[in-house]
Amino acid sequence: KAGVTQTPRYLIKTRGQQVTLSCSPISGHRSVSWYQQTPGQGLQFLFEYFSETQRNKGNFPGRFSGRQFSNSRSEMNVSTLELGDSALYLCASKLAGQDTQYFGPGTRLTVL
Amino acid sequence: GDSVTQMEGPVTLSEEAFLTINCTYTATGYPSLFWYVQYPGEGLQLLLKATKADDKGSNKGFEATYRKETTSFHLEKGSVQVSDSAVYFCALGPNTGNQFYFGTGTSLTVIP
């Protein structure tokens, strides 16, 4: 079974731009979570989607948003990029009713 | 609220040394506990998990026991290898909500 895939793997943007990252969960997994990983802050929870609905949201500004499609694929969008948004963005999926998350390889976003 | 406290790094060990990475948690219920490992340039991989008190998770020579009385889930390995060099994350699974909680990560470097 294929693992969690994330595209693109690397992105370079400039301040003020917006970006969209994509995540395809493991087949059959309907829960998708997003995390931001930075050297200073560690792994921070952004939000979780289940069956196209946002179930949980972390403490991030409204510039960070996401959505999930009927095939469970998820996208996250960051508008008006800031230098501090440079990070590794990780997506994780899990089966409904199970408690183990499986992570993708991440998208490395650099904001110049 | 629920949280995870993990031993600060970085940790540097010689090959074949004994490894312990401490992890303690705070949780109102009895969620599952996890150790994830992140190799350079990659996402997080599940290393092991334990679902209830006194359970021992094990994988690739690593072990961790779910200790309710000390609220701990310390990671151990009897003889580390250079290939074990990575960042290790302790995590608390969903409890009353659907959110996971991660420790700050411990960087391990094993030198030949």
Side-chain angles (χ1 to χ4, degrees), chain A residues 37 56 99-101 103-104, chain B residues 32 34 36 38 44 49 100:
Chain A
Q37 185 180 21
N56 277 306
D99 62 2
T100 302
Q101 283 189 327
F103 283 80
Chain B
S32 295
F34 303 83
Y36 283 86
Q38 185 177 36
L44 274 66
K49 68 178 275 191
F100 286 74

Side-chain angles (χ1 to χ4, degrees), chain A residues 31-50:
Chain A
S31 168
V32 174
S33 296
W34 288 90
Y35 296 86
Q36 182 195 65
Q37 185 180 21
T38 58
Q41 299 295 319
L43 208 63
Q44 291 191 284
F45 172 73
L46 280 154
F47 27 65
E48 186 223 359
Y49 285 88
F50 180 80

Side-chain angles (χ1 to χ4, degrees), chain B residues 51-66:
Chain B
T51 57
K52 59 183 187 296
D54 300 324
D55 256 5
K56 178 186 282 188
S58 61
N59 186 25
K60 300 180 182 178
F62 290 90
E63 294 182 338
T65 301
Y66 193 157

Side-chain angles (χ1 to χ4, degrees), chain B:
Chain B
D2 292 2
S3 65
V4 173
T5 302
Q6 189 174 338
M7 182 173 117
E8 297 260 344
V11 174
T12 302
L13 294 173
S14 297
E15 206 165 22
E16 298 184 3
F18 184 84
L19 168 71
T20 300
I21 301 178
N22 291 337
C23 172
T24 57
Y25 66 89
T26 301
T28 51
Y30 302 103
S32 295
L33 295 169
F34 303 83
W35 278 100
Y36 283 86
V37 58
Q38 185 177 36
Y39 298 101
E42 297 183 14
L44 274 66
Q45 296 177 24
L46 177 66
L47 182 59
L48 54 84
K49 68 178 275 191
T51 57
K52 59 183 187 296
D54 300 324
D55 256 5
K56 178 186 282 188
S58 61
N59 186 25
K60 300 180 182 178
F62 290 90
E63 294 182 338
T65 301
Y66 193 157
R67 301 281 188 205
K68 192 177 75 170
E69 62 276 10
T70 54
T71 61
S72 64
F73 192 56
H74 305 321
L75 182 68
E76 297 182 334
K77 186 175 186 183
S79 175
V80 293
Q81 305 300 312
V82 172
S83 57
D84 294 327
S85 298
V87 180
Y88 293 82
F89 292 89
C90 183
L92 193 66
N95 195 0
T96 53
N98 292 299
Q99 190 169 335
F100 286 74
Y101 296 87
F102 285 84
T104 52
T106 301
S107 174
L108 170 67
T109 301
V110 181
I111 54 178

